[in-house]
Amino acid sequence: MEFIVKSGTPEKQRSGCIVAGVFETRKLSAVAQQIDEVTQGAISAILRRGDLEGKPGQTLLLHNLAQLPSERVLLVGCGREKEFNENRYREIIAKSISALRDTGASEITSYLTELEVKGRDISWKVRQAVEIIESSLYRFDQMKSKPNNNRRALRRVILAVPKRSDLGTGEQAIKEGQAIADGVKLARDLGNLPGNICTPTYLAEQAIELGKTYNLKITILEKDDMQKLGMGSLLSVARGSRQPPKLIVLEYQGANENDAPVALVGKGLTFDAGGISIKPAANMDEMKYDMCGGASVLGAVKAAAELKLPLNVVGVIPSSENLPDGDANKPGDIVTSMSGQTVEVLNTDAEGRLILSDALTYTERYKPAAVIDIATLTGACVIALGAHASGLLANNDQLAREILNAGKYSFDRAWQLPLWDEYQKQLDSNFADMANIGGREGGAITAACFLARYTKNFKWAHLDVAGTAWKTGKDKGATGRPVPLLVQFLINRARQGGAENGA
Ligand code: BES
Ligand code: MN
Ligand code: ZN
């Protein structure tokens, strides 16, 4: 999609469709008012007939209004003006696109970006619009035998800004929005691909492709390399599968070679059947999404490179399947991780922490300024927070705050859970240094407690995206979260002009 920012009043635009807001009850936004005036009250006359109250998400498409050079006008209900907020703004942008996607309009001019959103500037509104529009036009049909030849007319979206002096800000916002949207799309595509195609080898190939496009340094560690490094924890998970495991490393250098990088470590379980502690059959297909953390790392690194952010980023993706095989982990097995710590595998389905622990230890060699791991780690996190917030746990409060703020701004929000020492003893084992499960209570927390034992040497935060990385049910599909949060975090760090900035 092509996005452009423009300033200027609607009566002068010659567009396929002008999009304007109407508040409840039948209260015209400034732009709708302007259209009403040049069309001698056409809009208010139509509203008086009762066709649109202005309820949130209501739409009404009008054709050929006299005196207006544009072919169509789409009125979008915005709810009560007093209640208009970020959420509403995002909702009506999406709604306007779903109302227009099947019309013949190839170009639209949306004035929704001129609506006042409390506490948000034009940059935020334009960026959100770009991300939401790209996201609502997304379809995953590459696996259908007949390509979906729904002709889609819409090719160009013009976003209105109030003043000429807003154009520069608007253009920068489009650039960022587009980069984030592309990162989100990559993460969604990889997530939606089935496990028989999106294997660890496939993920490694995607990283290599990304490396070619953006001139990244890519390193793929094979099973032999992992053996030499002593990654007994990661390898124990891979033993249950015929697909060879990969440890994928991407290095983006946007700053001085010696600047400490931000490391993003993403769980890349391309299918999680649970192993010998096998999962129930219902909805097991959704465990193809168990690599969404890894996919979000690819998406975020891509966006950082696209935006040429002035900082260094290392992406690390441990990738494997978790299947039951004659050689698979068995409950009670004890493995030795790269850190030297031993783990009693009491449940082979708690495999994410096993592969992440070795990847986190490996990440130490980059002397990172901060490490964020992203993982569809626990069903318990879905119970705790549902589908709206990712779980955040961290060993550093400053880093946690940065992540929470990045989440708020990008509207890809996280919520912090405690990582108190008291929870650690749930991981006690009679036979090894620790068990890989901590019982039913606080399952998202004890999973993070496990990881905390491998992240003592750096500032670290963990995002549990089990509830946010994909949707279940009728709209089943990857969301691309938390790519927007991660990219915002990187943008903020780059702006601070250094990884170690404590401001
Ligand atoms: N990938 C799953 C977590 C998961 C489950 C995410 C369901 C989304 C929906 C993870 O590997 C897992 O199986 N975790 C177990 C841990 C338990 C055995 C301690 C879980 O959450 O049940
Ligand atoms: Mn599992
Ligand atoms: Zn898993």
Side-chain angles (χ1 to χ4, degrees):
M1 182 68 61
E2 185 191 359
F3 291 94
I4 298 173
V5 278
K6 239 189 198 177
S7 71
T9 49
E11 75 273 10
K12 300 206 188 83
Q13 311 296 330
R14 189 174 292 282
S15 179
C17 186
I18 304 260
V19 183
V22 176
F23 293 104
E24 218 172 331
T25 315
R26 299 193 290 272
K27 180 172 185 309
L28 304 184
S29 63
V31 165
Q33 186 77 49
Q34 283 167 355
I35 300 173
D36 196 44
E37 275 158 29
V38 291
T39 58
Q40 270 114 47
I43 306 272
S44 32
I46 290 166
L47 296 190
R48 267 197 304 275
R49 284 181 212 147
D51 288 10
L52 184 104
E53 290 291 300
K55 289 210 175 9
Q58 259 187 323
T59 57
L60 183 63
L61 187 62
L62 308 172
H63 291 268
N64 303 327
L65 291 183
Q67 319 298 328
L68 201 73
S70 291
E71 293 164 0
R72 305 171 187 78
V73 170
L74 180 74
L75 298 177
V76 185
C78 300
R80 299 202 179 278
E81 192 167 15
K82 267 206 205 118
E83 292 167 8
F84 195 71
N85 60 12
E86 296 177 351
N87 254 321
R88 274 286 150 76
Y89 177 76
R90 290 169 49 90
E91 247 170 66
I92 61 163
I93 298 269
K95 194 68 208 192
S96 67
I97 295 304
S98 62
L100 285 170
R101 62 173 294 140
D102 297 325
T103 67
S106 62
E107 182 208 50
I108 65 171
T109 304
S110 180
Y111 281 88
L112 299 178
T113 37
E114 290 196 4
L115 296 172
E116 180 101 18
V117 183
K118 246 174 264 130
R120 293 304 182 198
D121 57 12
I122 193 69
S123 167
W124 185 89
K125 287 188 285 184
V126 169
R127 219 179 81 180
Q128 287 285 323
V130 171
E131 292 176 42
I132 293 162
I133 292 169
E134 286 289 9
S135 186
S136 46
L137 292 171
Y138 175 86
R139 293 291 178 276
F140 184 79
D141 45 24
Q142 49 179 291
M143 302 307 296
K144 306 257 190 197
S145 62
K146 293 186 193 66
N148 201 341
N149 48 12
N150 272 354
R151 109 205 126 84
R152 201 183 78 198
L154 190 55
R155 246 176 269 127
R156 203 162 175 227
V157 176
I158 296 157
L159 299 170
V161 296
K163 304 188 295 289
R164 286 186 60 84
S165 57
D166 293 325
L167 289 172
T169 312
E171 273 155 27
Q172 177 62 23
I174 285 181
K175 235 178 74 187
E176 290 179 2
Q178 192 68 259
I180 293 169
D182 289 351
V184 165
K185 179 180 178 336
L186 174 63
R188 292 178 82 175
D189 280 344
L190 290 171
N192 287 329
L193 279 170
N196 61 330
I197 291 176
C198 184
T199 59
T201 304
Y202 183 90
L203 278 184
E205 285 163 4
Q206 296 313 299
I208 290 166
E209 280 308 305
L210 208 60
K212 283 185 196 147
T213 312
Y214 291 102
N215 198 21
L216 311 172
K217 183 175 173 205
I218 306 293
T219 313
I220 310 292
L221 299 194
E222 306 290 340
K223 191 174 155 192
D224 290 351
D225 305 312
M226 298 177 204
Q227 249 146 9
K228 284 186 199 117
L229 288 163
M231 295 183 165
S233 191
L234 198 173
L235 285 166
S236 78
V237 175
R239 275 212 327 271
S241 156
R242 298 190 188 180
Q243 291 291 337
K246 307 278 173 182
L247 189 98
I248 303 162
V249 184
L250 308 96
E251 291 173 70
Y252 163 71
Q253 192 191 325
N256 197 302
E257 196 178 353
N258 305 317
D259 278 11
V262 169
L264 304 176
V265 180
K267 175 177 174 183
L269 244 295
T270 59
F271 192 79
D272 177 14
I276 297 299
S277 314
I278 198 163
K279 288 181 181 294
N283 302 325
M284 204 207 269
D285 65 291
E286 292 185 15
M287 281 298 115
K288 71 175 181 179
Y289 290 118
D290 213 16
M291 36 55 70
C292 283
S296 77
V297 171
L298 291 173
V301 169
K302 177 180 161 73
E306 179 70 39
L307 292 171
K308 302 193 172 66
L309 294 183
L311 84 171
N312 297 332
V313 184
V314 181
V316 179
I317 306 171
S319 187
S320 169
E321 289 183 325
N322 185 27
L323 295 178
D325 178 83
D327 199 32
N329 265 337
K330 301 174 293 298
D333 282 2
I334 295 177
V335 301
T336 303
S337 66
M338 181 178 173
S339 71
Q341 301 176 92
T342 59
V343 181
E344 186 184 14
V345 182
L346 286 176
N347 188 319
T348 67
D349 197 10
E351 84 299 336
R353 58 198 83 181
L354 294 177
I355 69 165
L356 283 168
S357 57
D358 279 341
L360 286 164
T361 301
Y362 183 78
T363 303
E364 277 183 25
R365 68 187 52 208
Y366 294 99
K367 302 194 168 43
V371 179
I372 306 177
D373 82 72
I374 308 100
T376 48
L377 203 62
T378 64
C381 191
V382 191
I383 301 302
L385 297 175
H388 302 296
S390 302
L392 169 68
L393 298 104
N395 68 10
N396 179 282
D397 280 336
Q398 164 62 27
L399 178 60
R401 260 195 305 278
E402 274 181 75
I403 293 171
L404 291 170
N405 286 335
K408 275 186 205 153
Y409 187 82
S410 58
F411 221 80
D412 179 5
R413 292 168 297 179
W415 194 260
Q416 193 171 4
L417 300 170
L419 190 69
W420 296 330
D421 272 345
E422 286 86 333
Y423 292 98
Q424 283 288 354
K425 61 176 177 304
Q426 288 178 238
L427 295 172
D428 285 351
S429 158
N430 284 353
F431 308 109
D433 295 344
M434 70 196 81
N436 78 328
I437 53 170
R440 274 170 49 79
E441 290 181 10
I445 297 171
T446 51
C449 282
F450 184 96
L451 299 178
R453 297 179 181 216
Y454 299 83
T455 56
K456 294 216 157 87
N457 297 331
F458 41 67
K459 293 176 184 167
W460 159 77
H462 159 64
L463 282 168
D464 193 329
V465 294
T468 53
W470 78 93
K471 290 184 181 160
T472 57
K474 180 169 73 50
D475 293 326
K476 191 192 290 179
T479 62
R481 291 179 68 183
V483 170
L485 177 156
L486 293 174
V487 179
Q488 189 59 43
F489 173 85
L490 296 175
I491 289 174
N492 292 349
R493 281 249 159 172
R495 262 191 210 130
Q496 289 164 7
E500 284 287 358
N501 193 317

